Amino acid sequence: MNDNYFIAKNESGKLGVINSNGKEVLEFKYDLIQKIKETNIIQTLIAENSETILYSSKLEELYKGNNITIKNYLGYIEVKDNENKNYFSNSGEKIDEENGIIKKSKLTSEPENIGEYKRVQYTLNDIYYIK
């Protein structure tokens, strides 16, 4: 994953993180663990309740929420739930909407819609659009 951290799976199929000594660093309870494209931010997901937790590269918790969407822009990400928008630099520092990097990058973001197709899902390397 990064430095001395590795994504591992236990016998029940749940994902967690171990260090280079084999010690559990993040509990084996996740259905998904991935590094967000072009960032040092780690995304975890528990599918049962749609809980997402974002971690820094040092596995410090940055954000926790349910049914969130993540938009990856040039230099930062936007994390949105039903009520709030939060912004984090690619290194995991929380930034506000008035930050210059956000205003400058808005023009280069992926479009919400392309014709009849709507952006619905990010993976590690791809953005998907469905009709």
Side-chain angles (χ1 to χ4, degrees), residues 91-105:
S91 61
E93 298 171 22
K94 190 167 185 171
I95 52 180
D96 64 37
E97 197 164 0
E98 296 303 311
N99 187 296
I101 194 171
I102 293 175
K103 290 184 174 190
K104 179 179 174 188
S105 298

Side-chain angles (χ1 to χ4, degrees), residues 42-58:
I42 310 304
Q43 176 187 5
T44 65
L45 174 71
I46 300 173
E48 182 180 339
N49 60 3
S50 298
E51 180 181 77
T52 296
I53 303 173
L54 301 180
Y55 292 95
S56 71
S57 60
K58 294 182 170 130

Side-chain angles (χ1 to χ4, degrees), residues 83-97:
E83 302 167 13
N84 303 305
K85 275 187 191 178
N86 291 281
Y87 301 93
F88 296 93
S89 70
N90 287 347
S91 61
E93 298 171 22
K94 190 167 185 171
I95 52 180
D96 64 37
E97 197 164 0

Side-chain angles (χ1 to χ4, degrees), residues 22-106:
K23 181 181 176 194
E24 183 179 303
V25 181
L26 277 185
E27 185 180 347
F28 284 85
K29 65 178 183 178
Y30 301 103
D31 298 297
L32 169 79
I33 298 177
Q34 67 180 3
K35 193 172 186 180
I36 297 174
K37 182 180 177 182
E38 298 176 5
T39 74
N40 289 323
I41 299 172
I42 310 304
Q43 176 187 5
T44 65
L45 174 71
I46 300 173
E48 182 180 339
N49 60 3
S50 298
E51 180 181 77
T52 296
I53 303 173
L54 301 180
Y55 292 95
S56 71
S57 60
K58 294 182 170 130
L59 298 180
E60 299 158 329
E61 188 175 308
L62 301 174
Y63 180 85
K64 184 178 189 177
N66 293 55
N67 298 312
I68 69 167
T69 58
I70 299 172
K71 294 181 181 178
N72 196 337
Y73 296 99
L74 184 61
Y76 72 99
I77 64 169
E78 175 188 89
V79 181
K80 186 165 71 169
D81 59 28
N82 292 334
E83 302 167 13
N84 303 305
K85 275 187 191 178
N86 291 281
Y87 301 93
F88 296 93
S89 70
N90 287 347
S91 61
E93 298 171 22
K94 190 167 185 171
I95 52 180
D96 64 37
E97 197 164 0
E98 296 303 311
N99 187 296
I101 194 171
I102 293 175
K103 290 184 174 190
K104 179 179 174 188
S105 298
K106 286 284 187 188

